[in-house]
Amino acid sequence: MSDAAGVGPEGAAPTGDAARAARVAGAVARFTPEERERVLALRRALHAAPELSWQEHTTQRTLRAALEAAGITEIREVAGTGLVATIPGTDPAAPVIALRGDIDALPIAEETGLPFASVHPGVMHACGHDMHAAWTVAAGILLAKAPAAGTVRLVLQPAEEVGEGAARVLASGVLDGVHAIFGGHVDWRFPVGEVVATDGAIAASTDTFDVVFHGRGGHGARPQDARDPIVALAAFVMEVQTLVSRRLDPGLPGVVSVTVADAGSAANVIPERARVAGTIRATTRAARTLLCDGVRAVAESVAALHGVRAVCTLSEGTPPLLNTPTAAACARTAVREVLGASALTALPTANMGGEDFAFYTERMPGCFLRIGTLGEGRSAAGAHTPRFDPEETALFVGGAVLAACARVATAAGTSLATGVSR
Ligand code: NI
């Protein structure tokens, strides 16, 4: 899911570019040429055969083979089309850490023209989950060669795009006893070698509303005999804007977008009903509650004002994704170790996209990173577009950083456990 707000990064000075290239080369060098070949081949195999949420059967087989090739033997299915692989640590007393990569694709027809472009018509890895899956396996390659203190579980999670996979993984119990979880998303706005690992909100909640105004239909010439649901709809569309502008703290990001408005079929007929639907985004739990409650209150108030009845359905999506400060601190230590302190950056504005990793961080400390994938001379097509084409060097940055997250977090042990913030 998800893509952050579209603010492009400024081009860095040449010296910065050269320094960054050297740091990226260092991350790449953590893998042998043969390992790099395998990770690249894995990503391209996944990219060529993308599968939609809950249909990741070939993906699951491809990933299992890649994990086995890395010498990882403890692999089991989770959530139907996902996998969880366990890499035992060197110290049985050290905390257990999970690394998560999502694996599903989107219903988009690919237009990149890449030699390994999708062979499945109308389906594309346009959100980079092929990169996420491959860099999670890449982290597994490094950890299998040189295990961390604590045991590491690699979670290859299905159905992120529909916001359902993480909850299924949690329900399966495979993460019981895990002390912290890390994952990342490709980010085309940052060059390869830059990483976001900040405390707090990194993605928004994604609830939806559906309101049907039930009135009384009639002749368009005789409104006095009808109860017009379209006037209520129009009032709702305007009034609901005041939730963000007048009710929400101006310092907090929030969105209420009406994306569906549907009523009527003839110029001289007042219809029986009118329907609106849309999305509600927030980055704190309190703001989420305020906006969701507000949408319902506005619907009921405008219905009462216009003498119609509102039936308001709110559907819970993913919660706001809040990085736990203790886990985010581990992630920043890992980034500094792999890429140097100058690799750390921050989102220019709040990301109002959603991400089902949020379900994990509601249950345990965790950090979700955004990992730069903008390459030299590459098109900056955003995620969820038919020309999305992340720079593949980011596979090794992602793999090395996630492996380092596991090492740092297993060494951090007790400070993680005491740092749970809810
Ligand atoms: Ni995504």
Side-chain angles (χ1 to χ4, degrees):
M1 212 188 298
S2 114
D3 193 32
V7 178
E10 297 296 320
T15 49
D17 281 350
R20 189 170 55 241
R23 298 195 308 265
V24 169
V28 173
R30 293 181 179 227
F31 298 85
T32 67
E34 189 269 335
E35 288 164 352
R36 292 203 286 269
E37 207 50 51
R38 269 196 281 141
V39 172
L40 211 55
L42 170 62
R43 186 262 159 162
R44 293 180 177 191
L46 295 173
H47 191 87
E51 293 171 306
L52 296 174
S53 305
W54 299 128
Q55 298 172 25
E56 306 94 333
H57 300 285
T58 305
T59 303
Q60 187 184 44
R61 277 195 296 278
T62 305
L63 287 167
R64 179 185 280 274
L67 289 165
E68 285 170 351
I72 298 166
T73 53
E74 213 180 314
I75 306 168
R76 50 183 277 208
E77 290 185 6
V78 67
T81 46
L83 290 173
V84 60
T86 301
I87 304 169
T90 54
D91 174 4
V96 180
I97 301 300
L99 302 179
R100 175 274 213 170
D102 42 8
I103 66 172
D104 55 326
L106 284 164
I108 291 178
E110 180 161 355
E111 294 174 10
T112 60
L114 290 166
F116 52 91
S118 171
V119 297
H120 294 168
V123 185
M124 176 188 177
H125 268 297
C127 197
H129 297 194
D130 52 337
M131 299 282 288
H132 305 169
W135 72 34
T136 304
V137 172
I141 288 173
L142 295 182
L143 290 163
K145 277 198 297 191
T151 292
V152 178
R153 293 201 208 292
L154 306 178
V155 178
L156 294 160
Q157 181 212 299
E160 193 284 326
E161 293 292 353
V162 292
E164 296 171 0
R168 276 276 296 275
V169 169
L170 282 165
S172 76
V174 298
L175 296 183
D176 292 357
V178 168
H179 291 75
I181 186 164
F182 298 87
H185 205 290
V186 295
D187 197 317
W188 59 276
R189 298 165 307 157
F190 299 108
V192 177
E194 289 193 359
V195 179
V196 176
T198 41
D199 293 0
I202 192 83
S205 55
T206 59
D207 304 311
T208 57
F209 63 87
D210 193 299
V211 181
V212 180
F213 295 103
H214 295 269
R216 189 165 72 237
H219 198 297
R222 291 189 277 279
Q224 75 278 17
D225 296 334
R227 285 283 175 265
D228 188 349
I230 291 183
V231 180
L233 178 154
F236 173 85
V237 171
M238 297 312 292
E239 192 61 32
V240 83
Q241 309 303 324
T242 63
L243 293 175
V244 171
S245 69
R246 303 289 83 190
R247 299 288 305 281
L248 187 65
D249 182 331
L252 289 174
V255 177
V256 177
S257 286
V258 178
T259 54
V260 176
D262 183 26
S265 57
N268 58 356
V269 177
I270 294 170
E272 290 282 329
R273 63 185 89 28
R275 173 175 171 252
V276 282
T279 188
I280 305 169
R281 307 292 173 113
T283 60
T284 69
R285 296 184 182 107
R288 181 190 195 190
T289 303
L290 180 128
L291 295 178
C292 289
D293 290 352
V295 165
R296 185 184 295 281
V298 169
E300 287 169 358
S301 315
V302 299
L305 181 64
H306 295 285
V308 301
R309 186 169 57 89
V311 176
C312 177
T313 309
L314 289 164
S315 303
E316 261 187 41
T318 53
L321 171 45
L322 308 171
N323 283 343
T324 319
T326 47
C330 289
R332 289 192 294 273
T333 302
V335 171
R336 278 192 289 268
E337 191 218 304
V338 174
L339 297 161
S342 58
L344 287 166
T345 186
L347 295 182
T349 60
N351 171 24
M352 302 312 285
E355 165 60 58
D356 84 349
F357 193 88
F359 287 113
Y360 299 123
T361 52
E362 286 209 318
R363 288 271 295 270
M364 65 191 81
C367 181
F368 193 68
L369 303 98
R370 298 204 63 109
I371 295 174
T373 58
L374 183 64
E376 194 74 31
R378 243 178 156 86
S379 99
H384 293 218
T385 69
R387 290 197 176 81
F388 183 60
D389 179 23
E391 166 62 48
E392 289 178 310
T393 319
L395 289 167
F396 308 107
V397 171
V401 166
L402 286 174
C405 283
R407 288 186 207 290
V408 172
T410 63
T414 46
S415 63
L416 264 179
T418 56
V420 181
S421 72
R422 316 243 356 145

